[in-house]
Amino acid sequence: MKQTPRPELLAALQEVNRGGSPMASNIARRVVQSFQQTRPHASEADELSNREQEVLDLLARGYLYKEIAENLNISVATVNTYIRRVYEKLHVRSRAQAVAKYTRFAGREELPKTKT
């Protein structure tokens, strides 16, 4: 800040050099208040419906959309809808990202068995 006295500025620079992150007390107070106001929310994977999880499990196993549709007795258009919802909920853009994120959230080292 322009009004910061030279000794305080030098102390702040030394703190940064040591790996710290100095901030004014009024800014620190705002940061703490913002953390107190945020509510914890469920993980993105928890927001997936059972059917979306089924579709994602089959997708992770390498099934084509047509094969997923046949396996779950739904249309390919419905599979596309589920996939779009999964991508939106997991905030991803591809099959690889969706599978990686889902398996990481679920804490899975291997995918669960799915009926074929």
Side-chain angles (χ1 to χ4, degrees):
M1 300 297 219
K2 290 181 181 182
Q3 295 87 4
T4 304
R6 184 181 177 119
E8 284 183 41
L9 185 58
L10 289 173
L13 289 172
Q14 289 170 345
E15 177 70 22
V16 169
N17 191 37
R18 289 190 301 266
S21 53
M23 66 176 73
S25 60
N26 63 334
I27 300 298
R29 190 172 15 266
R30 287 183 188 175
V31 170
V32 170
Q33 287 172 346
S34 74
F35 281 120
Q36 290 172 342
Q37 292 173 357
T38 57
R39 287 178 270 139
H41 57 83
S43 75
E44 294 162 327
D46 290 340
E47 295 175 10
L48 297 177
S49 69
N50 289 337
R51 186 59 114 181
E52 289 165 346
Q53 289 180 27
E54 288 177 320
V55 169
L56 187 52
D57 284 338
L58 292 172
L59 191 70
R61 295 174 185 287
Y63 283 64
L64 301 173
Y65 287 12
K66 181 179 178 183
E67 294 169 327
I68 294 171
E70 291 171 1
N71 192 292
L72 299 177
N73 295 318
I74 57 178
S75 71
V76 175
T78 303
V79 171
N80 283 323
T81 299
Y82 283 124
I83 296 294
R84 189 186 77 250
R85 289 179 186 165
V86 166
Y87 284 15
E88 288 172 0
K89 288 180 180 181
L90 295 182
H91 306 287
V92 296
R93 295 184 188 172
S94 71
R95 171 190 289 231
Q97 288 177 330
V99 170
K101 201 166 194 180
Y102 180 62
T103 54
R104 186 175 60 239
F105 276 140
R108 299 177 179 167
E109 295 186 14
E110 68 179 60
L111 296 168
K113 303 261 187 260
T114 304
K115 294 179 188 176
T116 55

